[in-house]
């Protein structure tokens, strides 16, 4: 019979388990043994895991199946490197955080980030995690499943963070390159240089839409140019447009590839209207629509010249088409604006015969009075009305309208000067 006093398990004199470790937790020596055995099992299974991950990608990821054989082989190599790097890190946990970027992504060429998007990378990581987690029980040594599972979760978290870092750096480099190329294209469009290379440069930026319009306005306060350009790009892309943007002094120049979503007659204003509020104060001028990026220089130059001349028309709408500023641009000395006014207004009137030109001249000189014009020409007022309507049909400018009469007056004066010079 045992005569020793019975000791309750709640007795404070009873020996206590080591702090921080339960009865089922293996000792540090046991943990190291379990880890070493798990490492050996992982080393034997590295090739199988990598192959299984690639096979699972082919089954579950349609975009992976559509990739070129070269890109698939690079992704397979990345998966193999990831598994090998995990095993090496699991073997030496005292190393701290794994160097994922170098050990895993360093095996792939930089161009792979252009073939595989960040979302696709996340899909791949999810597939690899599923493959490894599905075999944890077989891969881990007895008693080491939880240890391996926690290590996998920690490692995949590091892979996710490193993936984001790789794509962030690539996006920064791509963004800086795109910004420099956009500035180069805008400068070439404004000065009429390198027109043969514009389509190639636009293709490098993913440009695909035509026709094209240019929108120009002040960027705003000091130091706001970069933010204004970023906001304009984002707004245009949300609308489904291609966009190039650059600064010319304090002016923000935006070239928009619109596509065919608007009727041609509504195109300049419809494309510019949603962007107008993002410019600084002052006028916003939209150039005429042109068929493609190679011809966009004409739209950019018209818009920039219109912005310079807009000060002469304080009540101009916002945005205002550059063609509506032809008189102000012509008065400022722009040769193209003078030529356009003469060809679009004076030449059609001249071709229609002297009665229309004479009627317009007298009408403008007599304060747009029908009766005074009729008396001076010895015709009925209805004849004057008919001739004025013909002038409006031929030129698109209404003589009785204040703005229209101003445009007609300047155009006729320029036409007569041009005729005198030629004569």
């Amino acid at each position: 019979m045992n005569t020793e006093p019975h000791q309750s398990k709640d007795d404070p004199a009873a020996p206590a388990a080591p702090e921080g470790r339960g009865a089922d937790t293996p000792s540090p020596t046991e943990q190291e043994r379990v880890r070493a055995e798990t490492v050996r099992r992982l080393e034997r299974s590295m090739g199988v895991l990598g192959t299984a991950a690639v096979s699972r990608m082919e089954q579950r990821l349609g975009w992976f199946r559509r990739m070129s054989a070269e890109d698939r082989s690079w992704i397979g190599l990345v998966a193999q490197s990831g598994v090998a790097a995990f095993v090496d890190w699991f073997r030496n946990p005292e190393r701290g955080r794994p160097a994922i970027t170098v050990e895993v992504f360093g095996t792939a060429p930089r161009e792979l980030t252009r073939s595989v998007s960040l979302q696709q990378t996340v899909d791949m990581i999810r597939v690899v995690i599923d493959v490894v987690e599905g075999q944890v029980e077989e891969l881990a040594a007895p008693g080491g499943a939880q240890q391996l599972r926690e290590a996998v979760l920690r490692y995949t978290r590091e892979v996710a963070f490193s993936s984001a870092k790789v794509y962030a750096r690539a996006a920064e480099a791509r963004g800086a390159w795109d910004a420099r190329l956009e500035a180069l294209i805008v400068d070439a469009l404004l000065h009429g240089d390198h027109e043969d290379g514009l389509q190639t440069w636009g293709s490098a930026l993913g440009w695909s839409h035509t026709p094209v319009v240019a929108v120009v306005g002040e960027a705003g306060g000091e130091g706001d140019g970069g933010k204004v350009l970023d906001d304009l790009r984002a707004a245009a892309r949300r609308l489904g447009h291609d966009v190039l943007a650059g600064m010319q002094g304090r002016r923000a120049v935006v070239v928009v590839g619109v596509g065919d979503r608007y009727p041609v007659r509504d195109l300049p204003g419809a494309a510019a209207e949603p962007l107008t509020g993002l410019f600084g104060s002052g006028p916003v001028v939209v150039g005429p629509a042109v068929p493609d990026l190679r011809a966009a220089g004409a739209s950019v130059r018209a818009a920039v010249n219109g912005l310079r001349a807009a000060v002469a028309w304080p009540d101009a709408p916002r945005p205002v088409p550059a063609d509506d500023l032809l008189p102000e641009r012509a008065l400022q000395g722009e040769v193209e604006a003078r030529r356009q006014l003469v060809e679009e207004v004076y030449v059609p009137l001249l071709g229609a015969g002297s009665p229309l030109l004479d009627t317009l001249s007298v009408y403008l000189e007599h304060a747009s009075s029908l009766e005074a014009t009729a008396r001076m020409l010895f015709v009925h007022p209805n004849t004057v009305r008919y001739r004025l309507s013909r002038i409006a049909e031929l030129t698109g400018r209404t003589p009785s309208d204040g703005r229209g009469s101003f445009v007609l007056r300047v155009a006729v004066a320029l036409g007569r000067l041009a005729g005198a010079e030629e004569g």
Side-chain angles (χ1 to χ4, degrees), residues 104-145:
V104 179
F105 296 110
T107 60
R110 187 179 301 271
E111 291 77 9
L112 193 61
T113 58
R114 298 185 183 181
S115 301
V116 182
S117 68
L118 180 58
Q119 179 60 50
Q120 292 169 340
T121 302
V122 172
D123 292 340
M124 288 191 300
I125 292 172
R126 185 177 292 114
V127 168
V128 174
I129 293 171
D130 290 345
V131 169
V132 175
E133 285 188 332
Q135 301 187 36
V136 163
E137 298 296 336
E138 292 78 9
L139 294 172

Side-chain angles (χ1 to χ4, degrees), residues 330-349:
L331 291 173
Q332 201 173 43
E334 184 191 337
V335 175
E336 177 60 27
R338 292 185 174 189
R339 183 200 61 77
Q340 192 171 341
L341 272 176
V342 171
E343 290 185 357
E344 293 181 0
V345 178
Y346 182 74
V347 170
L349 292 176

Side-chain angles (χ1 to χ4, degrees), residues 3 14 17 35-36 39 48 80 90 143 153 164 177 203 217 247 249 258 262 278 340 345 356 385 404 410 423:
T3 58
R35 180 182 294 273
V39 167
V48 175
Q80 295 280 3
F90 186 74
L153 292 176
W177 183 84
S203 298
M247 294 295 299
V258 183
Y262 302 113
L278 301 175
Q340 192 171 341
V345 178
L356 290 187
R385 289 191 182 91
V410 173

Side-chain angles (χ1 to χ4, degrees), residues 317-403:
R318 191 172 189 265
V320 56
D323 285 354
D324 287 359
L325 288 161
L326 283 174
E328 289 79 7
R329 290 162 54 192
L331 291 173
Q332 201 173 43
E334 184 191 337
V335 175
E336 177 60 27
R338 292 185 174 189
R339 183 200 61 77
Q340 192 171 341
L341 272 176
V342 171
E343 290 185 357
E344 293 181 0
V345 178
Y346 182 74
V347 170
L349 292 176
L350 188 64
S354 59
L356 290 187
L357 263 179
D358 292 342
T359 301
L360 177 61
S361 299
V362 174
Y363 181 76
L364 295 176
E365 291 297 331
H366 287 78
S368 302
S369 169
L370 282 172
E371 290 74 12
T373 303
R375 286 195 301 270
M376 289 298 297
L377 296 173
F378 301 102
V379 296
H380 194 277
N382 286 340
T383 303
V384 176
R385 289 191 182 91
Y386 171 76
R387 291 178 182 177
L388 294 178
S389 66
R390 285 287 297 142
I391 291 170
E393 290 174 7
L394 288 170
T395 65
R397 315 289 180 174
T398 304
S400 59
D401 174 71
R403 181 68 187 174

Side-chain angles (χ1 to χ4, degrees), residues 190-213:
L190 185 58
H191 296 97
D193 300 330
H194 308 293
E195 291 189 353
D196 291 338
L198 288 174
Q199 212 67 35
T200 302
W201 294 345
S203 298
L205 293 172
W207 188 280
S208 59
H209 290 162
T210 56
V212 178
V213 296

Side-chain angles (χ1 to χ4, degrees), residues 9 17 25 35 70 77 79 137 172 175 186 191 203 213 215 264 299 301 312 314 344:
K9 67 178 181 179
T25 304
R35 180 182 294 273
E70 182 181 7
L77 182 59
E137 298 296 336
E172 288 176 0
V186 169
H191 296 97
S203 298
V213 296
V215 188
V264 174
S299 184
R301 290 189 290 274
E344 293 181 0

Side-chain angles (χ1 to χ4, degrees), residues 162-236:
S162 296
S163 301
K165 185 183 296 184
V166 168
Y167 279 88
R169 288 176 179 172
E172 288 176 0
R174 173 77 180 184
W177 183 84
D178 285 357
R180 289 193 295 269
L181 184 54
E182 283 188 32
L184 177 64
I185 294 175
V186 169
D187 187 70
L189 290 172
L190 185 58
H191 296 97
D193 300 330
H194 308 293
E195 291 189 353
D196 291 338
L198 288 174
Q199 212 67 35
T200 302
W201 294 345
S203 298
L205 293 172
W207 188 280
S208 59
H209 290 162
T210 56
V212 178
V213 296
V215 188
V216 180
E218 294 292 328
E222 295 293 334
D224 291 342
K227 182 179 184 305
V228 169
L229 292 185
D230 289 342
D231 291 345
L232 288 167
R233 290 188 188 101

